[in-house]
Amino acid sequence: MNNAFVGELFNLNTQQNGPLSGLKFAVKDLIDVAGFVTGGGNPTWTETHPVATHHAPCVMCLLEEGANCIGKTITDELAYSLEGRNHFFGTPLNPNWPHAMSGGSSSGSASAVAQRIVDFALGTDTGGSVRVPAAFCGIWGIRPTHGSIPLEGVLPFASCFDTVGWFAYDVDTFLKVGDILLPEDQSRVNLHSLPILGVAEAFDALQQQTGLAAIFKDYAEKLEMQNIQSVFPIALEEALACYQYLQDASIKENLGKWISQNSPEFGPSMQRNFERVMLNDGQNKVFYQLKQQNFAKHIDALLEKNILILPTTPMPLLHLNIDETVLSQFYQNALTINAIAGLAGVPQVNIPIANTHQYPIALSIIGPRYSDRALIKLAKHLFSSANLSLASSP
């Protein structure tokens, strides 16, 4: 199935005039739209939850500024995947690279934007669920500062890392949406005055694929990268273990009771994920929370003096028929690199550098917490000053 949407399209508009007037958007089916059940990509969840009576605040504010909501989009089951494959609803199309996945879990939202069905779309990002599909589909995307956009009306997954983000095909629309959704920046750091530092761990993850690291480094230098160095204060394995433990503990807090009471039907790979979640007893939560705090302090100090730049994903694309061993390695690398912004709670913007015939080239920049608006403007500046533009669709 290539459709990006759950159910039929509709036309929801509460304000004719506003800065977003004339723009169409879609909403990931993890976010409430009044009159529809928020299905979470899982039939059992849909069957055991009522129709939403109110729009989530992030939806309502977009409608009030003139945007037109036209549909709910497919999500990987309960947001627990980076692939974009849903056992029940199918795999949304990656229009530029139809042999590959769109990325998840905000798969339908990214697909709808990449297909130009909508101007922008809402997604959620916990461990990369906006950043990965933005990179795979060759579009703009953001994981904002944790807590900057209210999560009211959003199906809770791992609350300690959950964020609401969005996608857009062009940067000016991306900026307009940010002006509506984001609070005013609290960071006093002048981002344009900071050097741009490459994340060695992220570039190293590309080394196993011949020639890719050099290609991505070349583009990063066009975006004013001055140096590359290691940024992790602990071993990569420790960072991944910390992220995964805290994520699973939070998922169990949010969804464990529902799973126990309803014995939901999951797709095969998702079944394994939630079986592991239910085994998390939370006994090491304080230990890993302390690790997270120390990690965040290190990243905060680094971002007082640098903007970080990195390949958004450790592989440019995931083939629809990808080998399970390769997929497992992708997850290990992707979740580790994504943990920089996740554990620190800082914003990360995906920049769609180039859409080649073979694959997209996507780089991200990471900035200080609550510098989201300035970070988007910096991303636009770097993109424009490097004279980069999206290639025509392959």
Side-chain angles (χ1 to χ4, degrees), residues 376-391:
I376 296 173
K377 290 176 182 176
L378 177 61
K380 178 184 178 179
H381 167 74
L382 294 173
F383 185 80
S384 300
S385 64
N387 197 29
L388 298 169
S389 60
L390 291 179

Side-chain angles (χ1 to χ4, degrees), residues 325-392:
T325 301
V326 177
L327 182 61
S328 177
Q329 186 63 50
F330 165 80
Y331 267 104
Q332 180 176 330
N333 289 333
L335 290 172
T336 302
I337 300 306
N338 288 344
I340 298 172
L343 290 173
V346 294
Q348 180 173 344
V349 174
N350 177 71
I351 306 173
I353 300 300
N355 291 345
T356 73
H357 285 276
Q358 291 79 25
Y359 48 76
I361 296 173
L363 290 165
S364 287
I365 56 173
I366 298 176
R369 68 183 69 249
Y370 297 114
S371 68
D372 303 52
R373 289 171 178 255
L375 192 67
I376 296 173
K377 290 176 182 176
L378 177 61
K380 178 184 178 179
H381 167 74
L382 294 173
F383 185 80
S384 300
S385 64
N387 197 29
L388 298 169
S389 60
L390 291 179
S392 299

Side-chain angles (χ1 to χ4, degrees), residues 40-51:
N42 179 268
T44 309
W45 184 273
T46 303
E47 293 164 3
T48 55
H49 287 83
V51 170

Side-chain angles (χ1 to χ4, degrees), residues 78-91:
L78 301 179
Y80 209 167
S81 173
L82 294 177
E83 299 164 39
R85 297 187 287 192
N86 186 300
H87 178 72
F88 303 100
F89 294 95
T91 302

Side-chain angles (χ1 to χ4, degrees), residues 114-165:
Q115 293 185 66
R116 310 299 292 272
I117 299 170
V118 294
D119 299 290
F120 67 94
L122 292 179
T124 64
D125 189 305
T126 302
S129 288
V130 166
R131 290 166 286 173
V132 170
F136 284 176
C137 289
I139 56 179
W140 293 84
I142 182 173
R143 174 202 169 85
T145 297
H146 188 259
S148 61
I149 298 176
L151 289 170
E152 181 185 347
V154 179
L155 192 159
F157 178 56
S159 302
C160 57
F161 300 123
D162 289 350
T163 61
V164 172

Side-chain angles (χ1 to χ4, degrees), residues 124-259:
T124 64
D125 189 305
T126 302
S129 288
V130 166
R131 290 166 286 173
V132 170
F136 284 176
C137 289
I139 56 179
W140 293 84
I142 182 173
R143 174 202 169 85
T145 297
H146 188 259
S148 61
I149 298 176
L151 289 170
E152 181 185 347
V154 179
L155 192 159
F157 178 56
S159 302
C160 57
F161 300 123
D162 289 350
T163 61
V164 172
W166 69 95
F167 306 90
Y169 191 86
D170 68 89
V171 69
D172 289 328
T173 299
F174 191 61
L175 276 164
K176 283 183 181 179
V177 176
D179 287 341
I180 303 304
L181 289 177
L182 291 168
E184 293 297 325
D185 286 350
Q186 297 178 24
S187 173
R188 297 183 179 180
V189 178
N190 179 3
L191 303 193
H192 287 266
S193 69
L194 298 180
I196 297 178
L197 177 66
V199 176
E201 292 87 350
F203 286 99
D204 287 347
L206 291 170
Q207 293 289 357
Q208 58 191 287
Q209 300 158 82
T210 305
L212 274 182
I215 292 171
F216 275 73
K217 285 177 182 176
D218 180 61
Y219 275 103
E221 288 169 358
K222 288 180 170 65
L223 297 183
E224 302 180 17
M225 180 179 73
Q226 298 179 18
N227 194 12
I228 297 177
Q229 72 176 49
S230 173
V231 304
F232 278 71
I234 55 178
L236 299 182
E237 295 80 4
E238 289 183 73
L240 179 58
C242 179
Y243 173 81
Q244 288 187 314
Y245 188 93
L246 292 176
Q247 175 187 254
D248 283 359
S250 185
I251 294 170
K252 187 174 181 180
E253 290 171 3
N254 287 323
L255 302 177
K257 183 177 180 181
W258 174 79
I259 291 172

